[in-house]
Amino acid sequence: MRGKRYILIIALSAVIIGVIILVVTGQLRQRPTGENPRSNPRAIAEQPFEKAAVHLYFADKDNNYLIAEQRALPHSDDPLVLGRSLVEALIQGPQKGLMRTLPQATEIRALFLVAGRTLCIELTEAIRDNHPGGSQMELLNIFSLVNTLVLNLPEIDRIKILINGREATTLGGHVDLQFPFNANMLLIR
């Protein structure tokens, strides 16, 4: 049993080191035009976008479940551009009487794809520092983000959350952030 645990720890360490190497060396998905929208937000704003209907997941009034709020956001075929728009809309909060799931002070530092259809999102510490506490709220925070991205981006299956460029063990002490998340349909009503 002890030997299997060591093998698992070594395998996980290798995966983490691989992700770090990809991030540091820039061996991430390249845009066909050669322009990186993360480095030039003005280029994003100047692109002509069509509007697309998306579903953002916010908490219900009792903070028990996630409920979809439909919005029209600028559409892009690039999952990184659309992903950024989705998260920015989540941070701005709901418009139709639902409850905020991400602290308003939260900012996106980076979005990038890694092998296996996993989207890594790096957020500022505000998501952790302004967390209201409680295991249910932590689940809603995480899966508001995960469900919104996975269910609106067909190219994405999993979401990995990073805080200030580092892997965080948890947001509020209850949910392990060390592994990527799939969508959780059981939290949606």
Side-chain angles (χ1 to χ4, degrees):
M1 182 70 167
R2 225 171 130 185
K4 289 181 181 179
R5 184 178 289 165
Y6 289 122
I7 292 172
L8 180 61
I9 291 171
I10 291 170
L12 289 174
S13 298
V15 169
I16 292 169
I17 290 170
V19 169
I20 292 170
I21 290 171
L22 287 173
V23 171
V24 171
T25 61
Q27 298 297 316
L28 306 173
R29 181 175 176 209
Q30 299 295 318
R31 293 182 48 79
T33 62
E35 177 154 305
N36 183 345
R38 293 181 305 253
S39 64
N40 187 357
R42 189 180 205 172
I44 293 172
E46 293 171 358
Q47 293 178 5
F49 287 109
E50 296 177 16
K51 296 280 185 174
V54 297
H55 291 97
L56 305 175
Y57 292 89
F58 295 103
D60 67 352
K61 291 184 188 235
D62 297 322
N63 288 323
N64 290 322
Y65 297 102
L66 296 171
I67 297 177
E69 181 177 287
Q70 186 169 337
R71 299 257 185 99
L73 293 181
H75 175 72
S76 173
D77 290 332
D78 185 337
L80 298 178
V81 173
L82 184 54
R84 181 174 287 277
S85 294
L86 290 165
V87 177
E88 288 170 350
L90 277 177
I91 292 169
Q92 290 172 3
Q95 296 176 344
K96 299 178 181 170
L98 297 173
M99 305 302 288
R100 173 181 296 283
T101 52
L102 298 179
Q104 194 167 7
T106 304
E107 295 178 21
I108 305 165
R109 291 186 56 173
L111 282 158
F112 54 93
L113 293 171
V114 293
R117 298 171 51 99
T118 299
L119 176 70
C120 291
I121 178 163
E122 180 186 344
L123 301 169
T124 58
E125 287 179 346
I127 192 166
R128 182 179 48 216
D129 295 346
N130 297 313
H131 187 273
S135 59
Q136 183 65 19
M137 197 61 213
E138 188 171 356
L139 281 171
L140 294 177
N141 292 147
I142 291 167
F143 286 102
S144 167
L145 184 64
V146 171
N147 287 358
T148 295
L149 291 167
V150 171
L151 299 177
N152 284 292
L153 300 172
E155 306 87 354
I156 305 301
D157 290 331
R158 290 171 301 283
I159 305 298
K160 173 71 174 137
I161 301 170
L162 304 171
I163 299 176
N164 276 349
R166 296 194 169 116
E167 284 198 346
T169 55
T170 185
L171 258 186
H174 306 284
V175 180
D176 186 355
L177 294 180
Q178 295 179 29
F179 302 99
F181 293 95
N182 294 318
N184 183 339
M185 303 305 286
L186 296 176
L187 287 173
I188 297 174
R189 292 290 181 255

